[in-house]
Amino acid sequence: MANDFKLSMLASGSKGNVTFIETPQHNVLVDAGLSGKKIAGLMAQIGRSLTDVDALFVTHEHSDHIAGVGVLARKYGMDIYANQKTWTAMQNKIGKINPEQVQLFEPGQTKLMGDLDIESFSVSHDAADPQFYAFHHDNKTFAMLTDTGYVNDRIIGMLKNSDAILMEANHDYEMLRVGSYSWPLKQRILGDQGHLSNEDGALALTQILGNRTKHVYLGHLSQENNQKPLAHLTVQSVLEEHDFGVDHDFGLLDTDPAVATQLIQI
């Protein structure tokens, strides 16, 4: 079927991030922030195999996004897409990769891959050149946004009215404020190159959600400074205050660092 556009958040959190996207012609991953063995297990949870993945898109070089990139590239031969600055920053962390598998994909570009179009866009994070992606298939869009300190109008335009959205809800401000992290680390997380709080992510969603949006995933939750029920409740409350019909017009869905979300068709 032309509209077989499926996805699963295999893992999402401060310790590791992997997303799976499937169309009739392509199976792709975004990031590989866990060991190859763990990612293979997550794929098995949704009835899929890494042997069928043909491309892996990297957002930035932090270990919770690239820990398994080298292993997957060498074992499964998939092409790895990243921009030049990210490649340079992660080369020493992922080991040797066949140059033919190295695919440059700069911010602001669009890649056409058969029945899948991928747009890249820059975000504000303390990495070499962080970028995220919007995937388009058969007039449907899945857009991803985590690891950014703020959301500007350009990003809102990229994500607006997407059919499915992964939005960062990294931390609860009060938990972070009173938690055990050092003050410099707290400043980094709260800064313009850090992460979105539950409330930040919710407020961004109020400008992004549209009539087409049916699935909203809350991602990249900190294991130290957030809790799944708290993130869900905070985002739901903000959205309802802005008259959005949570769980009526769209589903508000949790992600997990160790359990894949159900493989759904959007």
Side-chain angles (χ1 to χ4, degrees), residues 78-92:
M78 59 187 73
D79 286 343
I80 312 297
Y81 290 80
N83 62 51
Q84 182 63 69
K85 289 181 181 177
T86 298
W87 270 112
T88 302
M90 73 178 179
Q91 273 180 327
N92 293 334

Side-chain angles (χ1 to χ4, degrees), residues 155-221:
I155 293 174
I156 288 168
M158 286 289 303
L159 275 65
K160 198 165 185 68
N161 206 18
S162 295
D163 299 271
I165 299 164
L166 172 66
M167 174 58 70
E168 181 164 56
N170 175 257
H171 58 276
D172 173 75
Y173 175 77
E174 197 60 24
M175 282 185 70
L176 177 63
R177 189 182 70 81
V178 303
S180 61
Y181 279 11
S182 68
W183 177 237
L185 181 54
K186 290 178 182 180
Q187 285 182 304
R188 172 191 165 256
I189 293 168
L190 292 169
D192 280 352
Q193 291 188 310
H195 291 279
L196 299 179
S197 69
N198 297 335
E199 193 168 67
D200 292 335
L203 289 171
L205 283 170
T206 65
Q207 301 179 73
I208 290 166
L209 296 175
N211 293 333
R212 287 173 41 182
T213 308
K214 300 302 177 195
H215 311 280
V216 177
Y217 293 88
L218 301 181
H220 213 293
L221 273 68

Side-chain angles (χ1 to χ4, degrees), residues 112-142:
L112 309 181
M113 292 174 50
D115 63 356
L116 191 60
D117 297 347
I118 308 101
E119 287 185 276
S120 61
F121 57 94
S122 294
V123 298
S124 179
H125 194 53
D126 58 349
D129 194 7
Q131 66 185 23
F132 274 80
Y133 304 98
F135 294 83
H136 308 279
H137 167 75
D138 195 35
N139 295 315
K140 300 237 172 160
T141 298
F142 165 55

